[in-house]
Tab-separated table of all heavy atoms in Angstrom:
chain	number	residue	atom	x	y	z
A	119	TRP	N	-170.763	-73.154	-140.849
A	119	TRP	CA	-171.607	-74.331	-140.577
A	119	TRP	C	-172.672	-74.023	-139.541
A	119	TRP	O	-173.790	-74.526	-139.609
A	119	TRP	CB	-170.769	-75.550	-140.183
A	119	TRP	CG	-170.118	-75.470	-138.824
A	119	TRP	CD1	-168.868	-74.992	-138.551
A	119	TRP	CD2	-170.668	-75.883	-137.577
A	119	TRP	NE1	-168.627	-75.065	-137.207
A	119	TRP	CE2	-169.709	-75.622	-136.588
A	119	TRP	CE3	-171.894	-76.458	-137.195
A	119	TRP	CZ2	-169.915	-75.896	-135.236
A	119	TRP	CZ3	-172.093	-76.728	-135.851
A	119	TRP	CH2	-171.112	-76.451	-134.888
A	120	VAL	N	-172.344	-73.124	-138.586
A	120	VAL	CA	-173.340	-72.738	-137.578
A	120	VAL	C	-174.455	-71.956	-138.245
A	120	VAL	O	-175.641	-72.241	-138.070
A	120	VAL	CB	-172.698	-71.887	-136.464
A	120	VAL	CG1	-173.745	-71.440	-135.463
A	120	VAL	CG2	-171.597	-72.648	-135.776
A	121	SER	N	-174.062	-70.951	-139.062
A	121	SER	CA	-175.100	-70.099	-139.625
A	121	SER	C	-175.955	-70.886	-140.622
A	121	SER	O	-177.167	-70.695	-140.664
A	121	SER	CB	-174.500	-68.854	-140.260
A	121	SER	OG	-173.664	-69.182	-141.316
A	122	TYR	N	-175.321	-71.800	-141.382
A	122	TYR	CA	-176.152	-72.542	-142.335
A	122	TYR	C	-177.095	-73.523	-141.646
A	122	TYR	O	-178.231	-73.705	-142.101
A	122	TYR	CB	-175.293	-73.233	-143.394
A	122	TYR	CG	-174.891	-72.244	-144.462
A	122	TYR	CD1	-173.603	-71.770	-144.570
A	122	TYR	CD2	-175.858	-71.738	-145.330
A	122	TYR	CE1	-173.260	-70.822	-145.513
A	122	TYR	CE2	-175.523	-70.787	-146.278
A	122	TYR	CZ	-174.222	-70.344	-146.370
A	122	TYR	OH	-173.900	-69.391	-147.292
A	123	SER	N	-176.677	-74.119	-140.505
A	123	SER	CA	-177.617	-75.003	-139.800
A	123	SER	C	-178.814	-74.202	-139.309
A	123	SER	O	-179.960	-74.635	-139.436
A	123	SER	CB	-176.969	-75.684	-138.594
A	123	SER	OG	-175.624	-75.929	-138.825
A	124	SER	N	-178.528	-73.014	-138.757
A	124	SER	CA	-179.623	-72.204	-138.229
A	124	SER	C	-180.548	-71.729	-139.356
A	124	SER	O	-181.768	-71.738	-139.214
A	124	SER	CB	-179.047	-71.027	-137.462
A	124	SER	OG	-180.076	-70.272	-136.916
A	125	ARG	N	-179.932	-71.349	-140.482
A	125	ARG	CA	-180.747	-70.923	-141.624
A	125	ARG	C	-181.632	-72.046	-142.126
A	125	ARG	O	-182.756	-71.829	-142.568
A	125	ARG	CB	-179.854	-70.510	-142.782
A	125	ARG	CG	-179.444	-69.092	-142.713
A	125	ARG	CD	-178.190	-68.897	-143.493
A	125	ARG	NE	-177.581	-67.671	-143.044
A	125	ARG	CZ	-177.439	-66.614	-143.817
A	125	ARG	NH1	-177.783	-66.655	-145.066
A	125	ARG	NH2	-176.920	-65.517	-143.340
A	126	PHE	N	-181.095	-73.267	-142.066
A	126	PHE	CA	-181.848	-74.428	-142.530
A	126	PHE	C	-183.115	-74.582	-141.687
A	126	PHE	O	-184.216	-74.792	-142.219
A	126	PHE	CB	-180.954	-75.668	-142.429
A	126	PHE	CG	-181.566	-76.894	-143.033
A	126	PHE	CD1	-181.606	-77.056	-144.406
A	126	PHE	CD2	-182.095	-77.879	-142.221
A	126	PHE	CE1	-182.171	-78.178	-144.965
A	126	PHE	CE2	-182.659	-79.011	-142.775
A	126	PHE	CZ	-182.700	-79.166	-144.146
A	127	ILE	N	-182.960	-74.461	-140.354
A	127	ILE	CA	-184.117	-74.580	-139.457
A	127	ILE	C	-185.129	-73.473	-139.761
A	127	ILE	O	-186.330	-73.722	-139.913
A	127	ILE	CB	-183.651	-74.482	-137.989
A	127	ILE	CG1	-182.736	-75.660	-137.665
A	127	ILE	CG2	-184.840	-74.445	-137.049
A	127	ILE	CD1	-182.062	-75.535	-136.312
A	128	LEU	N	-184.630	-72.233	-139.886
A	128	LEU	CA	-185.532	-71.112	-140.154
A	128	LEU	C	-186.266	-71.309	-141.476
A	128	LEU	O	-187.470	-71.071	-141.575
A	128	LEU	CB	-184.747	-69.794	-140.186
A	128	LEU	CG	-184.162	-69.330	-138.851
A	128	LEU	CD1	-183.326	-68.080	-139.040
A	128	LEU	CD2	-185.264	-69.082	-137.849
A	129	ALA	N	-185.528	-71.766	-142.492
A	129	ALA	CA	-186.160	-71.963	-143.802
A	129	ALA	C	-187.218	-73.052	-143.710
A	129	ALA	O	-188.266	-72.968	-144.353
A	129	ALA	CB	-185.099	-72.327	-144.839
A	130	GLY	N	-186.967	-74.075	-142.895
A	130	GLY	CA	-187.956	-75.138	-142.716
A	130	GLY	C	-189.252	-74.607	-142.117
A	130	GLY	O	-190.345	-74.915	-142.604
A	131	PHE	N	-189.129	-73.749	-141.090
A	131	PHE	CA	-190.322	-73.173	-140.456
A	131	PHE	C	-191.089	-72.296	-141.437
A	131	PHE	O	-192.290	-72.151	-141.357
A	131	PHE	CB	-189.919	-72.308	-139.253
A	131	PHE	CG	-189.481	-73.119	-138.071
A	131	PHE	CD1	-188.826	-72.514	-137.010
A	131	PHE	CD2	-189.732	-74.482	-138.003
A	131	PHE	CE1	-188.424	-73.248	-135.914
A	131	PHE	CE2	-189.326	-75.226	-136.915
A	131	PHE	CZ	-188.672	-74.611	-135.871
A	132	ARG	N	-190.339	-71.679	-142.359
A	132	ARG	CA	-190.929	-70.706	-143.268
A	132	ARG	C	-191.511	-71.353	-144.512
A	132	ARG	O	-192.273	-70.739	-145.238
A	132	ARG	CB	-189.821	-69.718	-143.657
A	132	ARG	CG	-190.245	-68.351	-144.022
A	132	ARG	CD	-189.052	-67.439	-144.145
A	132	ARG	NE	-187.996	-67.985	-144.969
A	132	ARG	CZ	-186.750	-68.174	-144.570
A	132	ARG	NH1	-186.403	-67.850	-143.354
A	132	ARG	NH2	-185.842	-68.678	-145.371
A	133	SER	N	-191.109	-72.618	-144.746
A	133	SER	CA	-191.454	-73.223	-146.035
A	133	SER	C	-192.955	-73.456	-146.166
A	133	SER	O	-193.479	-73.497	-147.270
A	133	SER	CB	-190.700	-74.533	-146.213
A	133	SER	OG	-191.115	-75.426	-145.207
A	134	LEU	N	-193.665	-73.627	-145.042
A	134	LEU	CA	-195.111	-73.794	-145.124
A	134	LEU	C	-195.772	-72.505	-144.645
A	134	LEU	O	-195.351	-71.943	-143.643
A	134	LEU	CB	-195.568	-74.945	-144.217
A	134	LEU	CG	-194.964	-76.303	-144.519
A	134	LEU	CD1	-195.485	-77.325	-143.524
A	134	LEU	CD2	-195.315	-76.727	-145.936
A	135	PRO	N	-196.834	-72.050	-145.338
A	135	PRO	CA	-197.540	-70.869	-144.850
A	135	PRO	C	-198.257	-71.193	-143.540
A	135	PRO	O	-198.503	-72.356	-143.231
A	135	PRO	CB	-198.529	-70.552	-145.958
A	135	PRO	CG	-198.617	-71.773	-146.783
A	135	PRO	CD	-197.365	-72.542	-146.596
A	136	SER	N	-198.609	-70.137	-142.775
A	136	SER	CA	-199.187	-70.396	-141.453
A	136	SER	C	-200.495	-71.179	-141.554
A	136	SER	O	-200.844	-71.918	-140.642
A	136	SER	CB	-199.383	-69.090	-140.689
A	136	SER	OG	-199.895	-68.105	-141.524
A	137	LEU	N	-201.205	-71.049	-142.704
A	137	LEU	CA	-202.459	-71.793	-142.851
A	137	LEU	C	-202.200	-73.301	-142.822
A	137	LEU	O	-202.935	-74.066	-142.191
A	137	LEU	CB	-203.145	-71.393	-144.161
A	137	LEU	CG	-204.531	-71.981	-144.360
A	137	LEU	CD1	-205.487	-71.475	-143.293
A	137	LEU	CD2	-205.075	-71.641	-145.739
A	138	ILE	N	-201.135	-73.735	-143.499
A	138	ILE	CA	-200.816	-75.166	-143.523
A	138	ILE	C	-200.329	-75.627	-142.149
A	138	ILE	O	-200.695	-76.707	-141.667
A	138	ILE	CB	-199.746	-75.469	-144.593
A	138	ILE	CG1	-200.132	-74.844	-145.935
A	138	ILE	CG2	-199.516	-76.963	-144.721
A	138	ILE	CD1	-201.249	-75.523	-146.640
A	139	TRP	N	-199.523	-74.794	-141.490
A	139	TRP	CA	-199.120	-75.122	-140.111
A	139	TRP	C	-200.352	-75.258	-139.235
A	139	TRP	O	-200.409	-76.118	-138.347
A	139	TRP	CB	-198.202	-74.047	-139.531
A	139	TRP	CG	-196.781	-74.112	-140.005
A	139	TRP	CD1	-196.136	-73.172	-140.742
A	139	TRP	CD2	-195.837	-75.158	-139.773
A	139	TRP	NE1	-194.846	-73.570	-140.995
A	139	TRP	CE2	-194.638	-74.788	-140.405
A	139	TRP	CE3	-195.893	-76.380	-139.104
A	139	TRP	CZ2	-193.503	-75.581	-140.389
A	139	TRP	CZ3	-194.759	-77.176	-139.079
A	139	TRP	CH2	-193.578	-76.774	-139.717
A	140	ALA	N	-201.367	-74.399	-139.481
A	140	ALA	CA	-202.582	-74.456	-138.671
A	140	ALA	C	-203.284	-75.806	-138.851
A	140	ALA	O	-203.716	-76.422	-137.880
A	140	ALA	CB	-203.511	-73.306	-139.032
A	141	ILE	N	-203.378	-76.278	-140.094
A	141	ILE	CA	-203.986	-77.599	-140.336
A	141	ILE	C	-203.229	-78.660	-139.550
A	141	ILE	O	-203.805	-79.492	-138.851
A	141	ILE	CB	-203.978	-77.923	-141.845
A	141	ILE	CG1	-204.847	-76.914	-142.595
A	141	ILE	CG2	-204.449	-79.347	-142.097
A	141	ILE	CD1	-204.808	-77.078	-144.092
A	142	PHE	N	-201.895	-78.584	-139.651
A	142	PHE	CA	-201.021	-79.531	-138.975
A	142	PHE	C	-201.286	-79.536	-137.466
A	142	PHE	O	-201.476	-80.599	-136.850
A	142	PHE	CB	-199.582	-79.105	-139.291
A	142	PHE	CG	-198.519	-79.935	-138.660
A	142	PHE	CD1	-198.228	-81.203	-139.147
A	142	PHE	CD2	-197.799	-79.443	-137.581
A	142	PHE	CE1	-197.233	-81.966	-138.569
A	142	PHE	CE2	-196.804	-80.201	-136.999
A	142	PHE	CZ	-196.521	-81.469	-137.484
A	143	PHE	N	-201.363	-78.353	-136.860
A	143	PHE	CA	-201.531	-78.305	-135.401
A	143	PHE	C	-202.957	-78.615	-134.978
A	143	PHE	O	-203.188	-79.092	-133.865
A	143	PHE	CB	-201.077	-76.953	-134.844
A	143	PHE	CG	-199.590	-76.850	-134.735
A	143	PHE	CD1	-198.871	-76.005	-135.561
A	143	PHE	CD2	-198.890	-77.629	-133.819
A	143	PHE	CE1	-197.487	-75.927	-135.470
A	143	PHE	CE2	-197.517	-77.562	-133.720
A	143	PHE	CZ	-196.810	-76.716	-134.549
A	144	VAL	N	-203.948	-78.339	-135.867
A	144	VAL	CA	-205.316	-78.746	-135.537
A	144	VAL	C	-205.375	-80.270	-135.442
A	144	VAL	O	-206.014	-80.831	-134.549
A	144	VAL	CB	-206.303	-78.208	-136.588
A	144	VAL	CG1	-207.633	-78.930	-136.505
A	144	VAL	CG2	-206.510	-76.715	-136.399
A	145	ILE	N	-204.645	-80.949	-136.329
A	145	ILE	CA	-204.597	-82.417	-136.261
A	145	ILE	C	-203.924	-82.855	-134.958
A	145	ILE	O	-204.362	-83.782	-134.295
A	145	ILE	CB	-203.844	-82.978	-137.489
A	145	ILE	CG1	-204.619	-82.657	-138.767
A	145	ILE	CG2	-203.635	-84.479	-137.354
A	145	ILE	CD1	-203.838	-82.898	-140.034
A	146	LEU	N	-202.854	-82.140	-134.568
A	146	LEU	CA	-202.093	-82.542	-133.371
A	146	LEU	C	-202.830	-82.233	-132.078
A	146	LEU	O	-202.921	-83.081	-131.195
A	146	LEU	CB	-200.733	-81.829	-133.336
A	146	LEU	CG	-199.622	-82.381	-134.215
A	146	LEU	CD1	-198.307	-81.712	-133.851
A	146	LEU	CD2	-199.496	-83.888	-134.036
A	147	VAL	N	-203.320	-80.991	-131.916
A	147	VAL	CA	-203.859	-80.583	-130.617
A	147	VAL	C	-205.350	-80.267	-130.665
A	147	VAL	O	-205.915	-79.845	-129.651
A	147	VAL	CB	-203.110	-79.353	-130.042
A	147	VAL	CG1	-201.638	-79.654	-129.883
A	147	VAL	CG2	-203.311	-78.135	-130.917
Side-chain angles (χ1 to χ4, degrees):
Chain A
W119 70 268
V120 177
S121 62
Y122 280 108
S123 327
S124 182
R125 273 157 199 245
F126 187 76
I127 296 171
L128 292 176
F131 286 166
R132 208 170 50 237
S133 63
L134 301 179
S136 42
L137 186 63
I138 310 287
W139 282 116
I141 297 175
F142 179 75
F143 282 111
V144 164
I145 296 168
L146 281 190
V147 301

